[in-house]
Amino acid sequence: MKTGVILLNFGEPESPTMEAVVPFLERIFRTNMALEGTLSPEAKEARIRELAEGRAPGLIEEYEMIGGSPLNAQAVAQADALEAELGRRGHDVDCVVAYQFADPLIASVVAEAREDGVEQLVGLPVYPLAGRSTTDAALADLRRAVETLGWNVRIAEAGGWHAHPHFTAMWVDEVRKTIAAGGVSLDDPRVALVFSVHGTPMKYIEEGSPYVEHAEKACASIAEALGVATYHIGYQNHTNRPVAWTQPDVEKVIEEIDADHVVVVPIAFMHEQSETLAELDHELREEAEARGLGFHRVAVPHDDPRLAALLADLVEPLITGEADFAEMVK
């Protein structure tokens, strides 16, 4: 039975232009329009356009600052690594990438899988922390694409995987590399470990999303493995609309921290992207250094061989039948 694994991802525009960035942002804001309350279809589209055009210049500046986003290329490399790992385990599968907000979009990749004769489909979001607008929304897009095609296909989904031991081990090793390169020690009370987590609207948490709980557990596991009893958690929030977001902001953490050095761990990300390369490496670094803090940002382990093994651990039971597929029949 031919199996297709679609690695679902955020995606980022390949070119820092209004023509590329505005549609990208419109898709993001459309996914989260429930935050705006009840609007007519016309008002909703107008608000989406307003938000996208307001945010686009700043995001374009970030992309230009970092020389373009490497996210998409890293995502493709992860799909290739997963396919190779599953091949080593004796499974002949096709692993491809689809993005929620950039090309190739999920709907087009699902259509290609149908044309290629895929008989069972695995949706695998590459988000370790399952969030409402990331993991949940990506899988919903996948199901919607299948249903729209009227495709009778066996389909399975994998969710968040922050508790997998490889996840903790990868980050622990990256932290150790960073402090060794920076000549600092987490045994020094003047060196603070700071976890930077992608923020989410509090509305989603209040509606039952376990995102914050999972983030806190992931941070605790990594800190424990490092032998660190005291650490800090801050959120990278995008406050371009008047809604409450997860707290505290990571900027507030840096502003108030009592330390000489900060070691910043972006645990919500499995790719380097604008949120790490611009928001952390430039904006947060500037704030830290303005306070006289040494700033040490831990690299995302996007190409660690253990990531492919971790993802294969999630997919393999679905391929072998140890976990159930659901029938999608329309």
Side-chain angles (χ1 to χ4, degrees):
M1 182 172 288
K2 186 171 184 179
T3 300
V5 179
I6 302 182
L7 285 76
L8 305 168
N9 218 298
F10 206 81
E12 286 195 313
E14 291 292 340
S15 58
T17 64
M18 288 292 284
E19 292 75 17
V21 172
V22 169
F24 165 73
L25 289 169
E26 286 179 334
R27 295 180 188 116
I28 295 174
F29 289 124
R30 187 170 288 110
T31 294
N32 293 286
M33 276 309 289
L35 297 171
E36 299 286 328
T38 303
L39 297 174
S40 69
E42 296 79 10
K44 183 181 293 185
E45 288 304 310
R47 178 62 171 153
I48 289 168
R49 188 74 179 182
E50 175 189 12
L51 288 166
E53 290 182 344
R55 173 71 178 112
L59 188 56
I60 289 171
E61 184 178 343
E62 289 182 4
Y63 289 144
E64 291 175 340
M65 180 190 306
I66 65 177
S69 173
L71 189 159
N72 297 0
Q74 290 178 6
V76 171
Q78 289 171 350
D80 291 343
L82 174 58
E83 185 171 307
E85 175 63 23
L86 288 169
R88 283 191 288 271
R89 298 186 186 193
H91 306 294
D92 183 16
V93 300
D94 293 330
C95 296
V96 296
V97 170
Y99 303 118
Q100 289 179 262
F101 308 115
D103 291 326
L105 292 168
I106 292 170
S108 65
V109 174
V110 168
E112 289 175 8
R114 186 188 189 191
E115 290 297 315
D116 289 343
V118 166
E119 298 167 278
Q120 59 183 21
L121 194 63
V122 178
L124 176 61
V126 188
Y127 301 114
L129 306 174
R132 184 67 58 84
S133 60
T134 51
T135 297
D136 294 351
L139 291 171
D141 284 349
L142 180 70
R143 292 191 296 270
R144 190 177 303 112
V146 170
E147 291 167 358
T148 298
L149 291 172
W151 184 15
N152 296 352
V153 65
R154 302 173 71 234
I155 186 169
E157 302 170 351
W161 29 271
H162 64 281
H164 194 289
H166 284 341
F167 179 73
T168 301
M170 288 188 300
W171 278 113
V172 166
D173 287 351
E174 288 297 332
V175 171
R176 287 174 174 157
K177 290 177 192 175
T178 300
I179 60 177
V184 297
S185 170
L186 292 174
D187 294 329
D188 184 343
R190 302 300 299 167
V191 177
L193 181 65
V194 178
F195 292 97
S196 188
V197 184
H198 194 287
T200 193
M202 283 303 299
K203 175 180 173 67
Y204 296 155
I205 304 303
E206 292 160 2
E207 290 175 346
S209 170
Y211 182 81
V212 167
E213 177 186 349
H214 290 175
E216 290 175 351
K217 287 182 178 178
C219 295
S221 294
I222 295 167
E224 181 180 9
L226 288 165
V228 176
T230 301
Y231 55 91
H232 308 265
I233 300 176
Y235 291 89
Q236 289 175 242
N237 294 320
H238 295 165
T239 53
N240 44 26
R241 60 174 80 186
V243 298
W245 283 69
T246 38
Q247 294 298 320
D249 290 331
V250 70
E251 294 87 354
K252 189 71 171 176
V253 172
I254 295 300
E255 178 185 328
E256 297 180 350
I257 205 163
D258 182 19
D260 295 327
H261 294 266
V262 290
V263 178
V264 178
V265 188
I267 67 155
F269 303 100
M270 277 293 106
H271 312 88
E272 296 288 3
Q273 55 199 87
S274 59
E275 283 94 344
T276 59
L277 299 172
E279 292 179 14
L280 296 182
D281 288 356
H282 288 269
E283 297 164 18
L284 194 66
R285 177 185 291 276
E286 288 176 4
E287 294 183 24
E289 292 180 347
R291 286 202 58 214
L293 299 174
F295 186 86
H296 311 269
R297 204 270 285 180
V298 178
V300 175
H302 63 88
D303 57 356
D304 190 306
R306 287 170 292 188
L307 178 59
L310 184 164
L311 298 178
D313 287 347
L314 299 178
V315 171
E316 190 170 27
L318 302 172
I319 297 172
T320 60
E322 296 173 39
D324 291 335
F325 275 79
E327 298 294 339
M328 296 291 290
V329 180
K330 289 290 177 181

